[in-house]
Coordinates of all heavy atoms in Angstrom, one line a residue:
C1 N -68.1 76.5 231.4 CA -67.0 77.5 231.7 C -67.7 78.8 231.7 O -68.7 79.0 231.2 CB -66.0 77.4 230.6 SG -66.4 78.2 229.0
A2 N -67.1 79.7 232.5 CA -67.5 81.1 232.6 C -66.3 82.0 232.2 O -65.2 81.7 232.6 CB -67.9 81.3 234.1
V3 N -66.6 83.0 231.5 CA -65.6 83.9 230.9 C -65.8 85.3 231.5 O -66.8 85.8 231.7 CB -65.7 83.9 229.4 CG1 -64.7 84.9 228.8 CG2 -65.5 82.6 228.8
A4 N -64.7 85.9 231.9 CA -64.7 87.2 232.4 C -63.8 88.2 231.5 O -62.7 87.8 231.0 CB -64.0 87.3 233.7
V5 N -64.5 89.4 231.1 CA -63.8 90.3 230.3 C -63.9 91.6 231.1 O -64.8 91.8 231.8 CB -64.4 90.5 228.8 CG1 -64.2 89.2 228.1 CG2 -65.8 90.8 228.9
P6 N -62.9 92.5 230.9 CA -63.0 93.8 231.7 C -64.1 94.7 231.1 O -64.6 94.4 230.0 CB -61.5 94.4 231.5 CG -61.0 93.8 230.3 CD -61.6 92.4 230.2
A7 N -64.4 95.7 231.8 CA -65.3 96.8 231.5 C -66.8 96.4 231.4 O -67.4 96.6 230.4 CB -64.9 97.5 230.1
G8 N -67.2 95.6 232.3 CA -68.6 95.3 232.5 C -69.2 94.1 231.8 O -68.8 93.0 232.1
C9 N -70.0 94.4 230.8 CA -70.8 93.3 230.2 C -70.2 92.6 229.0 O -69.3 93.2 228.4 CB -72.2 93.8 229.8 SG -72.0 95.0 228.5
L10 N -70.5 91.3 228.9 CA -70.0 90.6 227.7 C -70.8 90.9 226.5 O -72.0 91.0 226.5 CB -70.3 89.1 228.0 CG -69.5 88.5 229.2 CD1 -70.0 87.0 229.4 CD2 -68.1 88.6 228.9
A11 N -70.1 91.2 225.4 CA -70.7 91.5 224.1 C -70.5 90.4 223.1 O -71.2 90.3 222.2 CB -70.2 92.9 223.6
G12 N -69.5 89.6 223.3 CA -69.2 88.5 222.5 C -70.0 87.3 222.9 O -70.9 87.4 223.6
V13 N -69.6 86.1 222.3 CA -70.4 84.9 222.5 C -69.5 83.8 223.1 O -68.4 83.6 222.7 CB -71.0 84.5 221.2 CG1 -71.7 83.1 221.4 CG2 -71.9 85.5 220.6
V14 N -70.0 83.2 224.2 CA -69.3 82.0 224.7 C -69.8 80.7 224.0 O -71.0 80.5 223.9 CB -69.5 81.8 226.2 CG1 -68.9 80.6 226.8 CG2 -69.0 83.1 227.0
E15 N -68.9 80.0 223.4 CA -69.3 78.8 222.7 C -68.8 77.5 223.5 O -67.5 77.4 223.7 CB -68.6 78.8 221.3 CG -69.1 79.9 220.4 CD -68.4 79.9 219.1 OE1 -67.4 79.3 219.0 OE2 -68.9 80.7 218.2
V16 N -69.6 76.6 223.9 CA -69.4 75.4 224.6 C -70.1 74.3 223.9 O -71.2 74.6 223.3 CB -69.6 75.5 226.1 CG1 -68.7 76.5 226.7 CG2 -71.1 75.8 226.4
E17 N -69.7 73.1 224.1 CA -70.5 71.9 223.6 C -71.5 71.6 224.7 O -71.2 71.5 225.9 CB -69.6 70.7 223.4 CG -68.5 71.0 222.4 CD -69.1 71.0 221.0 OE1 -70.1 70.4 220.7 OE2 -68.5 71.8 220.2
R18 N -72.8 71.4 224.2 CA -73.8 71.0 225.2 C -73.5 69.6 225.7 O -73.8 69.3 226.9 CB -75.2 71.0 224.5 CG -76.3 70.7 225.3 CD -77.6 71.1 224.7 NE -78.7 70.9 225.6 CZ -79.1 71.6 226.6 NH1 -78.4 72.6 226.9 NH2 -80.2 71.2 227.3
S19 N -72.9 68.8 225.0 CA -72.6 67.4 225.5 C -71.2 67.0 224.9 O -70.9 67.3 223.7 CB -73.7 66.4 225.0 OG -73.3 65.1 225.2
V20 N -70.4 66.3 225.7 CA -69.2 65.8 225.2 C -69.0 64.3 225.7 O -69.4 64.1 226.9 CB -67.9 66.6 225.9 CG1 -66.6 66.0 225.6 CG2 -68.0 68.1 225.5
T21 N -68.7 63.5 224.8 CA -68.6 62.1 225.1 C -67.1 61.7 225.4 O -66.2 62.1 224.7 CB -69.0 61.2 223.9 OG1 -70.4 61.6 223.6 CG2 -68.9 59.8 224.2
A22 N -66.9 61.0 226.5 CA -65.6 60.6 226.9 C -65.5 59.1 227.0 O -66.5 58.4 227.3 CB -65.3 61.2 228.2
V23 N -64.3 58.6 226.9 CA -64.1 57.1 227.0 C -63.3 56.9 228.3 O -62.2 57.5 228.4 CB -63.3 56.5 225.7 CG1 -63.0 55.1 225.9 CG2 -64.1 56.8 224.4
L24 N -63.7 56.0 229.1 CA -63.0 55.7 230.3 C -61.6 55.4 230.0 O -61.3 54.6 229.2 CB -63.8 54.6 231.0 CG -63.3 54.2 232.5 CD1 -63.5 55.4 233.4 CD2 -64.0 53.0 233.0
G25 N -60.7 56.1 230.8 CA -59.3 55.7 230.7 C -58.6 56.6 229.6 O -57.4 56.6 229.5
Q26 N -59.3 57.4 228.8 CA -58.7 58.3 227.8 C -58.9 59.7 228.2 O -59.8 60.1 228.9 CB -59.3 57.9 226.5 CG -58.9 56.6 226.0 CD -59.4 56.3 224.6 OE1 -59.9 57.2 223.9 NE2 -59.3 55.1 224.1
D27 N -58.1 60.6 227.6 CA -58.2 62.0 227.8 C -59.4 62.5 227.0 O -59.8 61.9 226.0 CB -57.0 62.8 227.3 CG -55.7 62.4 228.1 OD1 -55.8 61.7 229.0 OD2 -54.6 62.9 227.7
V28 N -60.0 63.6 227.5 CA -61.1 64.3 226.8 C -60.9 65.7 226.8 O -60.5 66.3 227.8 CB -62.5 63.9 227.4 CG1 -62.7 64.3 228.8 CG2 -63.6 64.4 226.5
V29 N -61.2 66.4 225.7 CA -61.1 67.9 225.6 C -62.5 68.5 226.0 O -63.5 68.0 225.4 CB -60.7 68.3 224.2 CG1 -60.7 69.8 224.1 CG2 -59.3 67.8 223.9
L30 N -62.5 69.4 226.8 CA -63.7 70.2 227.1 C -63.6 71.6 226.5 O -62.8 72.4 227.1 CB -63.9 70.2 228.7 CG -64.0 68.9 229.4 CD1 -64.1 69.1 230.9 CD2 -65.1 68.0 228.9
P31 N -64.2 71.8 225.4 CA -64.0 73.0 224.7 C -64.8 74.2 225.3 O -65.8 74.1 226.0 CB -64.6 72.8 223.3 CG -65.5 71.6 223.5 CD -65.2 70.9 224.7
C32 N -64.2 75.4 225.2 CA -64.8 76.7 225.7 C -64.1 77.8 224.8 O -62.9 78.0 225.0 CB -64.6 76.9 227.2 SG -65.1 78.5 227.6
R33 N -64.8 78.4 224.0 CA -64.3 79.5 223.1 C -65.1 80.7 223.4 O -66.3 80.7 223.4 CB -64.2 79.1 221.7 CG -63.7 80.2 220.8 CD -63.4 79.7 219.4 NE -62.1 79.1 219.3 CZ -60.9 79.6 219.4 NH1 -60.8 80.9 219.7 NH2 -59.7 79.0 219.3
Y34 N -64.5 81.8 223.4 CA -65.1 83.2 223.5 C -64.9 83.9 222.2 O -63.7 84.2 221.9 CB -64.7 84.0 224.7 CG -65.4 85.3 224.8 CD1 -66.7 85.3 225.3 CD2 -64.7 86.5 224.6 CE1 -67.4 86.5 225.4 CE2 -65.4 87.7 224.7 CZ -66.8 87.6 225.1 OH -67.5 88.9 225.2
R35 N -66.0 84.2 221.5 CA -65.8 85.0 220.2 C -66.0 86.5 220.7 O -67.1 87.0 220.8 CB -67.0 84.7 219.2 CG -66.9 83.2 218.8 CD -65.8 83.0 217.8 NE -65.8 81.6 217.5 CZ -64.8 80.9 216.8 NH1 -63.7 81.6 216.6 NH2 -65.0 79.7 216.6
A36 N -64.8 87.1 220.8 CA -64.7 88.4 221.4 C -65.1 89.5 220.3 O -64.9 89.3 219.1 CB -63.3 88.7 221.8
Q37 N -65.7 90.5 220.8 CA -66.0 91.7 219.9 C -64.7 92.6 219.9 O -63.8 92.4 220.6 CB -67.2 92.5 220.5 CG -68.4 91.7 220.5 CD -68.9 91.3 219.2 OE1 -69.0 92.2 218.2 NE2 -69.3 90.1 218.9
E38 N -64.7 93.6 219.0 CA -63.6 94.4 218.9 C -63.2 95.1 220.3 O -64.1 95.5 221.0 CB -63.9 95.6 217.9 CG -62.7 96.4 217.6 CD -63.1 97.4 216.5 OE1 -63.9 97.1 215.6 OE2 -62.5 98.5 216.6
Q39 N -62.0 95.2 220.6 CA -61.4 95.7 221.8 C -61.7 94.9 223.1 O -61.3 95.3 224.2 CB -61.9 97.1 222.1 CG -61.6 98.1 220.9 CD -60.1 98.3 220.6 OE1 -59.4 98.4 221.5 NE2 -59.8 98.3 219.4
E40 N -62.3 93.7 223.0 CA -62.4 92.8 224.2 C -61.2 91.9 224.3 O -60.7 91.5 223.3 CB -63.7 92.0 224.0 CG -64.9 92.7 224.2 CD -66.1 91.7 224.3 OE1 -66.2 90.9 223.3 OE2 -66.9 91.8 225.2
Q41 N -60.9 91.6 225.5 CA -59.9 90.6 225.8 C -60.3 89.8 227.1 O -60.7 90.4 228.1 CB -58.6 91.4 226.1 CG -57.4 90.5 226.2 CD -56.1 91.2 226.3 OE1 -56.0 92.3 227.0 NE2 -55.0 90.7 225.7
V42 N -60.2 88.5 226.9 CA -60.6 87.7 228.1 C -59.5 87.7 229.1 O -58.3 87.6 228.8 CB -60.8 86.2 227.5 CG1 -61.1 85.3 228.8 CG2 -62.0 86.2 226.5
V43 N -59.9 87.9 230.4 CA -58.9 88.0 231.4 C -59.0 86.8 232.3 O -58.0 86.4 233.0 CB -59.1 89.2 232.4 CG1 -58.7 90.5 231.6 CG2 -60.4 89.4 233.0
Q44 N -60.1 86.0 232.3 CA -60.2 84.8 233.1 C -61.2 83.9 232.6 O -62.3 84.3 232.2 CB -60.5 85.2 234.6 CG -60.7 84.0 235.5 CD -60.7 84.5 237.0 OE1 -59.8 85.1 237.5 NE2 -61.8 84.2 237.6
V45 N -60.9 82.6 232.7 CA -61.9 81.6 232.4 C -62.0 80.7 233.6 O -61.0 80.2 234.2 CB -61.5 80.7 231.2 CG1 -62.4 79.5 230.9 CG2 -61.4 81.5 229.9
T46 N -63.2 80.4 234.1 CA -63.5 79.5 235.3 C -64.2 78.3 234.8 O -65.3 78.4 234.2 CB -64.2 80.3 236.4 OG1 -63.5 81.5 236.7 CG2 -64.3 79.4 237.6
W47 N -63.7 77.1 235.2 CA -64.4 75.9 235.0 C -65.0 75.4 236.3 O -64.4 75.3 237.3 CB -63.4 74.8 234.5 CG -63.2 74.9 233.0 CD1 -62.2 75.7 232.4 CD2 -63.9 74.4 231.9 NE1 -62.3 75.6 231.0 CE2 -63.3 74.8 230.7 CE3 -65.0 73.6 231.9 CZ2 -63.8 74.4 229.5 CZ3 -65.5 73.2 230.7 CH2 -64.9 73.7 229.5
L48 N -66.3 75.1 236.2 CA -67.1 74.6 237.3 C -67.6 73.2 237.0 O -68.1 72.9 235.9 CB -68.2 75.5 237.7 CG -67.9 77.0 237.9 CD1 -69.1 77.8 237.9 CD2 -67.1 77.1 239.2
K49 N -67.8 72.4 238.0 CA -68.5 71.1 237.9 C -69.8 71.2 238.6 O -69.9 71.5 239.8 CB -67.6 70.0 238.5 CG -68.3 68.6 238.4 CD -67.4 67.5 239.0 CE -68.1 66.2 239.0 NZ -67.3 65.2 239.7
R50 N -70.9 70.8 237.9 CA -72.2 70.9 238.5 C -72.4 69.5 239.2 O -72.3 68.4 238.5 CB -73.2 71.1 237.5 CG -74.6 71.3 238.2 CD -75.7 71.7 237.2 NE -75.3 73.0 236.7 CZ -75.7 73.5 235.5 NH1 -76.6 72.9 234.8 NH2 -75.3 74.7 235.1
G51 N -72.7 69.5 240.4 CA -72.9 68.3 241.2 C -74.3 68.0 241.6 O -75.3 68.6 241.0
P52 N -74.5 67.1 242.5 CA -75.9 66.8 242.9 C -76.7 68.1 243.4 O -76.1 68.9 244.0 CB -75.7 65.8 244.0 CG -74.4 65.2 243.8 CD -73.6 66.3 243.2
G53 N -77.9 68.1 243.1 CA -78.7 69.2 243.6 C -78.4 70.6 242.8 O -78.8 71.6 243.3
G54 N -77.6 70.5 241.8 CA -77.3 71.7 241.0 C -76.1 72.6 241.7 O -75.8 73.6 241.2
R55 N -75.5 72.0 242.7 CA -74.4 72.8 243.3 C -73.2 72.7 242.4 O -72.9 71.7 241.8 CB -74.1 72.1 244.7 CG -75.3 72.1 245.6 CD -74.9 71.5 246.9 NE -74.5 72.7 247.8 CZ -73.9 72.5 249.0 NH1 -73.6 71.3 249.5 NH2 -73.6 73.6 249.7
S56 N -72.4 73.8 242.4 CA -71.3 73.9 241.6 C -70.0 74.0 242.3 O -70.0 74.6 243.4 CB -71.3 75.2 240.7 OG -72.4 75.1 239.7
A57 N -69.0 73.3 241.9 CA -67.7 73.3 242.5 C -66.7 73.7 241.5 O -66.7 73.3 240.3 CB -67.4 71.9 243.1
E58 N -65.8 74.5 241.9 CA -64.7 75.1 241.0 C -63.7 74.0 240.7 O -63.2 73.2 241.6 CB -64.0 76.2 241.7 CG -63.0 76.9 240.8 CD -62.4 78.1 241.5 OE1 -63.0 79.1 241.5 OE2 -61.2 77.9 242.0
V59 N -63.4 73.8 239.5 CA -62.4 72.8 239.0 C -61.1 73.5 238.7 O -60.1 73.1 239.2 CB -62.9 72.1 237.7 CG1 -61.9 71.2 237.1 CG2 -64.2 71.3 238.0
A60 N -61.1 74.5 237.9 CA -59.9 75.3 237.5 C -60.3 76.7 237.1 O -61.3 77.0 236.7 CB -59.3 74.6 236.3
V61 N -59.2 77.6 237.3 CA -59.3 78.9 236.9 C -58.1 79.2 236.0 O -56.9 78.9 236.4 CB -59.3 79.9 238.1 CG1 -59.2 81.3 237.7 CG2 -60.5 79.7 239.0
L62 N -58.3 79.8 234.9 CA -57.3 80.2 234.0 C -57.3 81.7 234.0 O -58.3 82.3 233.5 CB -57.6 79.7 232.5 CG -57.9 78.1 232.5 CD1 -58.3 77.9 231.0 CD2 -56.9 77.3 233.0
N63 N -56.2 82.3 234.4 CA -56.2 83.8 234.5 C -55.0 84.3 233.7 O -53.9 83.8 233.8 CB -56.0 84.2 236.0 CG -56.2 85.7 236.2 OD1 -55.2 86.4 235.9 ND2 -57.3 86.1 236.7
R64 N -55.3 85.4 232.9 CA -54.3 86.0 232.1 C -53.0 86.4 232.9 O -51.9 86.2 232.5 CB -54.9 87.1 231.3 CG -53.9 87.7 230.2 CD -54.6 88.7 229.4 NE -55.1 89.8 230.3 CZ -55.1 91.0 230.0 NH1 -54.7 91.4 228.7 NH2 -55.5 92.0 230.7
Q65 N -53.3 87.0 234.0 CA -52.2 87.6 234.8 C -51.6 86.7 235.8 O -50.4 86.6 236.0 CB -52.7 88.8 235.5 CG -51.6 89.6 236.3 CD -52.1 90.9 236.9 OE1 -53.3 91.1 236.9 NE2 -51.2 91.6 237.5
H66 N -52.4 85.8 236.4 CA -51.9 84.9 237.5 C -51.8 83.4 237.1 O -51.4 82.6 237.9 CB -53.0 85.0 238.6 CG -53.1 86.4 239.2 ND1 -52.1 87.1 239.8 CD2 -54.1 87.3 239.1 CE1 -52.5 88.3 240.1 NE2 -53.7 88.4 239.7
G67 N -52.0 83.2 235.8 CA -51.7 81.8 235.4 C -52.9 80.8 235.7 O -54.1 81.3 235.8
E68 N -52.6 79.6 235.8 CA -53.7 78.5 236.0 C -53.6 78.0 237.5 O -52.6 77.9 238.1 CB -53.3 77.4 235.1 CG -53.3 77.7 233.6 CD -52.7 76.6 232.8 OE1 -52.8 75.5 233.2 OE2 -52.1 77.0 231.7
H69 N -54.9 77.8 238.0 CA -55.0 77.2 239.2 C -56.0 76.1 239.1 O -57.2 76.3 238.8 CB -55.4 78.2 240.3 CG -55.7 77.6 241.7 ND1 -54.7 77.1 242.5 CD2 -56.8 77.3 242.3 CE1 -55.2 76.6 243.6 NE2 -56.5 76.7 243.5
V70 N -55.6 74.8 239.6 CA -56.5 73.7 239.5 C -56.7 73.2 240.9 O -55.9 73.1 241.7 CB -55.9 72.6 238.7 CG1 -56.8 71.4 238.7 CG2 -55.6 73.0 237.2
Q71 N -58.0 73.0 241.3 CA -58.4 72.6 242.6 C -57.8 71.1 242.9 O -57.7 70.4 242.0 CB -59.9 72.6 242.8 CG -60.5 73.9 242.8 CD -60.0 74.8 243.9 OE1 -59.7 74.3 245.0 NE2 -60.0 76.2 243.7
E72 N -57.5 70.9 244.1 CA -56.8 69.7 244.5 C -57.3 68.4 244.0 O -56.6 67.5 243.5 CB -56.7 69.6 246.0 CG -56.0 68.4 246.6 CD -54.5 68.3 246.0 OE1 -53.9 69.5 245.9 OE2 -54.0 67.3 245.7
P73 N -58.7 68.1 244.0 CA -59.1 66.8 243.5 C -58.7 66.7 242.0 O -58.8 65.5 241.5 CB -60.7 66.9 243.6 CG -60.9 68.0 244.6 CD -59.7 68.9 244.5
Y74 N -58.5 67.7 241.3 CA -58.2 67.7 239.8 C -56.7 68.0 239.5 O -56.4 67.9 238.3 CB -59.2 68.6 239.1 CG -60.6 68.4 239.4 CD1 -61.3 69.1 240.3 CD2 -61.3 67.3 238.8 CE1 -62.6 68.8 240.6 CE2 -62.6 67.1 239.0 CZ -63.3 67.8 240.0 OH -64.5 67.6 240.3
A75 N -56.0 68.2 240.5 CA -54.5 68.5 240.3 C -53.8 67.4 239.4 O -54.0 66.2 239.8 CB -53.8 68.8 241.5
G76 N -53.1 67.7 238.4 CA -52.4 66.7 237.6 C -53.3 66.0 236.6 O -52.9 65.3 235.7
R77 N -54.7 66.3 236.7 CA -55.6 65.8 235.6 C -56.2 66.8 234.8 O -56.8 66.4 233.7 CB -56.7 65.0 236.4 CG -56.3 63.8 237.1 CD -57.5 63.0 237.7 NE -58.4 62.6 236.5 CZ -59.7 62.6 236.6 NH1 -60.3 63.1 237.8 NH2 -60.4 62.3 235.6
V78 N -56.1 68.1 235.1 CA -56.7 69.1 234.2 C -55.5 70.0 233.7 O -54.8 70.5 234.5 CB -57.6 70.0 235.1 CG1 -58.1 71.2 234.2 CG2 -58.9 69.2 235.5
L79 N -55.5 70.1 232.4 CA -54.5 70.9 231.7 C -55.1 71.8 230.7 O -56.2 71.5 230.2 CB -53.5 70.0 231.0 CG -52.9 68.8 231.6 CD1 -52.2 67.9 230.6 CD2 -51.9 69.4 232.6
R80 N -54.5 72.9 230.5 CA -55.0 73.9 229.5 C -54.6 73.3 228.1 O -53.5 72.9 227.9 CB -54.5 75.3 229.7 CG -55.0 76.2 228.7 CD -54.7 77.7 229.2 NE -55.3 78.5 228.2 CZ -54.6 79.6 227.7 NH1 -53.6 80.1 228.4 NH2 -55.2 80.3 226.8
R81 N -55.6 73.3 227.2 CA -55.3 72.7 225.9 C -54.4 73.5 225.0 O -53.5 73.1 224.4 CB -56.6 72.4 225.1 CG -56.3 71.8 223.8 CD -57.6 71.5 223.1 NE -58.1 72.8 222.6 CZ -59.2 72.9 221.8 NH1 -59.8 71.8 221.3 NH2 -59.5 74.1 221.4
A82 N -54.6 74.9 225.1 CA -53.8 75.7 224.2 C -53.2 76.9 225.0 O -53.7 77.3 226.0 CB -54.8 76.4 223.1
G83 N -52.0 77.3 224.6 CA -51.4 78.4 225.2 C -51.9 79.7 224.5 O -52.8 79.6 223.7
G84 N -51.4 80.9 225.0 CA -51.8 82.1 224.3 C -53.0 82.7 225.0 O -53.3 82.5 226.1
A85 N -53.7 83.4 224.1 CA -54.9 84.2 224.5 C -56.0 83.2 225.2 O -56.2 82.1 224.7 CB -55.5 85.0 223.4
L86 N -56.7 83.7 226.1 CA -57.7 82.9 226.8 C -59.1 82.9 226.1 O -60.0 82.2 226.5 CB -58.0 83.5 228.2 CG -56.9 83.2 229.2 CD1 -57.3 84.0 230.6 CD2 -56.8 81.7 229.4
E87 N -59.1 83.5 224.9 CA -60.3 83.3 224.1 C -60.6 81.8 223.8 O -61.7 81.4 223.6 CB -60.2 84.1 222.8 CG -60.5 85.5 222.9 CD -59.4 86.4 223.6 OE1 -58.3 85.9 223.7 OE2 -59.7 87.4 224.0
D88 N -59.5 81.0 223.8 CA -59.6 79.5 223.7 C -59.4 79.1 225.2 O -58.2 78.8 225.5 CB -58.7 78.9 222.7 CG -58.8 77.4 222.6 OD1 -59.6 76.8 223.5 OD2 -58.2 76.7 221.8
G89 N -60.4 78.9 225.9 CA -60.3 78.4 227.3 C -60.5 76.9 227.5 O -60.8 76.5 228.6
A90 N -60.3 76.1 226.4 CA -60.5 74.7 226.6 C -59.5 74.1 227.5 O -58.4 74.5 227.6 CB -60.4 74.0 225.1
I91 N -60.0 73.0 228.2 CA -59.2 72.2 229.0 C -59.2 70.7 228.6 O -60.1 70.3 227.9 CB -59.5 72.3 230.5 CG1 -60.9 71.8 230.8 CG2 -59.3 73.7 231.1 CD1 -61.4 71.7 232.2
V92 N -58.1 70.0 229.0 CA -58.0 68.6 228.8 C -58.2 67.9 230.1 O -57.4 68.3 231.1 CB -56.7 68.2 228.2 CG1 -56.6 66.6 228.0 CG2 -56.5 68.8 226.8
L93 N -59.1 67.0 230.3 CA -59.3 66.2 231.5 C -58.7 64.9 231.2 O -59.1 64.2 230.3 CB -60.8 66.0 231.8 CG -61.1 65.3 233.1 CD1 -60.5 65.9 234.3 CD2 -62.7 65.2 233.2
R94 N -57.6 64.6 231.9 CA -56.8 63.4 231.6 C -57.4 62.1 232.3 O -57.8 62.3 233.5 CB -55.3 63.6 232.1 CG -54.7 64.8 231.4 CD -53.3 64.9 231.6 NE -52.6 63.7 231.1 CZ -51.4 63.4 231.3 NH1 -50.7 64.1 232.1 NH2 -50.9 62.3 230.8
N95 N -57.3 61.0 231.6 CA -57.7 59.7 232.1 C -59.0 59.8 232.8 O -59.2 59.4 234.0 CB -56.6 59.2 233.0 CG -56.8 57.7 233.3 OD1 -57.7 57.1 232.8 ND2 -55.9 57.3 234.2

């Protein structure tokens, strides 16, 4: 996941799991948490899928002002895990 905060550079820490194990046919949570510093607020979280040759494709964008947008191949399969602030930008990949 990639996190965007206003006013330039990131001072907090993005926490993701290096590896997540999934079971075929079951939902899996893909965690992404931003430990914000004082006065920081996450405005957008972008989820990318790394494909062959290191190419990245956008899976979903979670935006504080514009809501959630999931790319067509993942529509109906990607859900935001938690409501509220985007500091918790985890998603659930269904089935």
Side-chain angles (χ1 to χ4, degrees):
C1 76
V3 176
V5 296
C9 63
L10 297 175
V13 176
V14 177
E15 297 175 347
V16 295
E17 296 291 326
R18 183 162 179 81
S19 176
V20 174
T21 301
V23 176
L24 186 63
Q26 294 186 8
D27 296 353
V28 63
V29 174
L30 302 178
C32 175
R33 176 167 281 291
Y34 182 71
R35 299 284 179 196
Q37 297 296 310
E38 189 176 325
Q39 303 300 319
E40 283 186 312
Q41 186 175 40
V42 175
V43 294
Q44 182 168 297
V45 175
T46 304
W47 277 92
L48 304 169
K49 178 182 178 182
R50 187 171 300 160
R55 301 182 94 189
S56 294
E58 187 176 280
V59 172
V61 175
L62 314 175
N63 186 284
R64 188 175 59 144
Q65 185 176 6
H66 301 292
E68 303 167 26
H69 175 74
V70 178
Q71 293 296 330
E72 186 55 41
Y74 304 98
R77 292 189 58 221
V78 172
L79 307 168
R80 185 163 175 219
R81 183 181 70 175
L86 286 176
E87 281 73 14
D88 181 355
I91 59 173
V92 176
L93 182 58
R94 299 190 63 194
N95 192 8

